[in-house]
Amino acid sequence: RPAAGCGIEQTGAHLPTSYHIQAKGSRQLARMKGALLGMGNPILDISAVVDQSILDKYDLKLNNAILCEDKHLPIYKELEDNYSVELIAGGATQNSIRVAQWMLQIPNATSYIGCVGSDSYGETMREKCKEDGVNVQYLEDPNTATGTCAVLVSGGERSLVANLAAANNYKIDHLRQPEIFALVEKASVFYISGFFITVSPESIMTVAKHAAFTNKTFCMNLSAPFIMQVPPFKAALMEAMPYIDVLFGNETEAETFAQTEGWETKDVAQIAMKISQLPSEGGKKRRVVITQGKDPTIVAYDGKVTTYDIIVLPKEKLVDTNGAGDAYVGGYLSQLVQGKPVAACCKAGAYAANVVIQQSGCKFPRKPSGEYAAI
């Protein structure tokens, strides 16, 4: 490139500063389109504040998530008949992708894949995600209803009972369609919750191997204790583990993982460290991010453990912890996809979680505030 003052005009040197700022913004928009891709179980949350009696009736525990069994099937109608319910677009991965999109404020920076029914619930979720700026590409199952999740809220804590229905019918053939796999090729960061292990491990491995081959970032979440406790699900998680660059979870899930590995420790920092050091594809270093509710988040990476504070919320402002972990992941991913350092990722995660736990369900204002408002 010629040096300044050598008599050769440098392209763009005479253009106003506003032009360069605009051009830079346009390039960022183009670069960020489809940069983050999520794949998971899209389900409609049927959320209600309940009393202890219904939790006892269905043998449910707070701060837990389970798959619906036959004995739980009446709970969805019982909630709608006896409680004031709210319908919210949900599913762990879809929540995180919606939050990341909200934080980024760049239309279609995120994409999402999953399976819904050909019904009003599926259409409601599609429209909601479109309003949020997420590019959803659902597989539609005409023979099965859209998945639902009973969200029972008590004292700001929650118990989840998921009836996957159509979400359970995602097929890898959909992922292989050229227009869908183009989303995989476009993305630079992938996020899949552990819940999707129960649906399509083959799809998970297809994306994981693509990420490894193309040197992209592949992220997963432990999601719930049963993912580790049910042997086929644990086996699928461990098959994906070498490809995972960033693994999320909470302290309960971390302790469960340790138990199923036969590790004689309940020290969350030590567990995070041991998970980070499990074998990885190509020797890449894995980052393990463990949230602990109101306590600092633990991050293990490259032989070191660091803690990052969350934003303490007065108890009277706590509305609903449902979606707090998903929101943290969404905030984290919104910075990761921009190449920000881990401290910025954790700070954004804490901010997003703090906003969401002051709402009923995984919801948020029209725009983020403070330093994230200008993004």
Side-chain angles (χ1 to χ4, degrees), residues 15-43:
L15 296 173
T17 302
S18 60
Y19 176 90
H20 292 294
I21 294 172
Q22 223 172 17
K24 183 180 179 182
S26 298
R27 287 195 299 272
Q28 184 189 25
L29 287 172
R31 180 177 60 84
M32 288 299 297
K33 186 174 181 181
L36 173 61
L37 174 63
M39 185 163 60
N41 303 330
I43 51 183

Side-chain angles (χ1 to χ4, degrees), residues 25-357:
S26 298
R27 287 195 299 272
Q28 184 189 25
L29 287 172
R31 180 177 60 84
M32 288 299 297
K33 186 174 181 181
L36 173 61
L37 174 63
M39 185 163 60
N41 303 330
I43 51 183
L44 192 71
D45 287 348
I46 301 174
S47 179
V49 176
V50 302
D51 48 49
Q52 185 63 37
S53 63
I54 191 170
L55 294 166
D56 294 339
K57 179 179 179 180
Y58 289 98
D59 192 25
L60 300 175
K61 299 175 182 177
L62 291 172
N63 287 321
N64 197 22
I66 62 170
L67 292 177
C68 178
E69 300 174 25
D70 287 347
K71 67 179 181 180
H72 300 120
L73 286 173
I75 199 171
Y76 304 95
K77 188 173 189 304
E78 185 169 340
L79 285 176
E80 295 200 67
D81 288 349
N82 299 332
Y83 295 89
S84 176
V85 300
E86 190 171 11
L87 302 180
I88 306 163
T93 302
Q94 188 165 245
N95 283 342
S96 295
I97 295 298
R98 288 177 53 236
V99 169
Q101 178 63 53
W102 170 67
M103 291 285 288
L104 285 163
Q105 292 289 305
I106 298 171
N108 294 324
T110 63
S111 302
Y112 177 79
I113 301 168
C115 185
V116 299
S118 298
D119 53 27
S120 60
Y121 279 175
E123 193 55 37
T124 295
M125 284 200 291
R126 188 190 302 275
E127 287 302 313
K128 177 59 181 171
C129 287
K130 187 177 178 181
E131 288 171 14
D132 291 339
V134 179
N135 175 25
V136 291
Q137 296 294 327
Y138 294 140
L139 167 64
E140 284 194 12
D141 182 343
N143 302 313
T144 312
T146 294
T148 51
C149 182
V151 181
L152 293 84
V153 182
S154 179
E157 308 295 329
R158 89 286 187 265
S159 183
L160 308 180
V161 185
N163 182 14
L164 296 182
N168 201 40
N169 295 342
Y170 187 81
K171 301 292 186 290
I172 194 169
D173 289 347
H174 180 256
L175 181 65
R176 288 171 175 158
Q177 293 175 13
E179 66 274 20
I180 301 301
F181 202 77
L183 300 175
V184 177
E185 292 174 325
K186 174 67 176 171
S188 58
V189 176
F190 304 96
Y191 176 65
I192 304 175
S193 82
F195 293 121
F196 200 59
I197 284 172
T198 71
V199 175
S200 186
E202 190 178 6
S203 297
I204 293 174
M205 292 308 300
T206 297
V207 173
K209 290 178 179 179
H210 167 86
F213 183 74
T214 56
N215 199 30
K216 297 178 180 180
T217 303
F218 182 69
C219 311
M220 284 196 70
N221 199 312
L222 295 175
S223 293
F226 79 87
I227 297 296
M228 281 77 74
Q229 292 166 335
V230 178
F233 299 160
K234 175 70 183 301
L237 173 65
M238 297 311 289
E239 184 183 7
M241 187 65 74
Y243 298 90
I244 299 175
D245 299 304
V246 182
L247 180 68
F248 298 96
N250 64 29
E251 72 275 38
T252 303
E253 294 151 7
E255 288 177 18
T256 304
F257 187 95
Q259 289 167 9
T260 61
E261 287 293 298
W263 298 344
E264 295 183 358
T265 179
K266 291 189 175 181
D267 183 289
V268 177
Q270 190 177 350
I271 295 167
M273 177 64 72
K274 287 173 77 72
I275 297 174
S276 74
Q277 294 172 335
L278 291 172
S280 63
E281 184 69 19
K284 288 179 71 176
K285 294 183 175 71
R286 178 182 305 111
R287 196 180 306 276
V288 177
V289 181
I290 305 296
T291 57
Q292 303 187 101
K294 67 181 186 304
D295 295 323
T297 298
I298 289 172
V299 178
Y301 180 74
D302 195 17
K304 298 176 184 176
V305 171
T306 311
T307 59
Y308 295 91
D309 290 337
I310 55 96
I311 301 170
V312 178
L313 184 72
K315 191 164 185 179
E316 60 270 18
K317 289 190 175 183
L318 175 66
V319 175
D320 181 7
T321 58
N322 180 34
D326 298 338
Y328 189 99
V329 171
Y332 188 108
L333 293 174
S334 74
Q335 306 304 296
L336 178 65
V337 78
Q338 297 180 84
K340 300 289 182 67
V342 64
C345 295
C346 290
K347 184 178 180 182
Y351 167 78
N354 179 264
V355 169
V356 165
I357 62 176

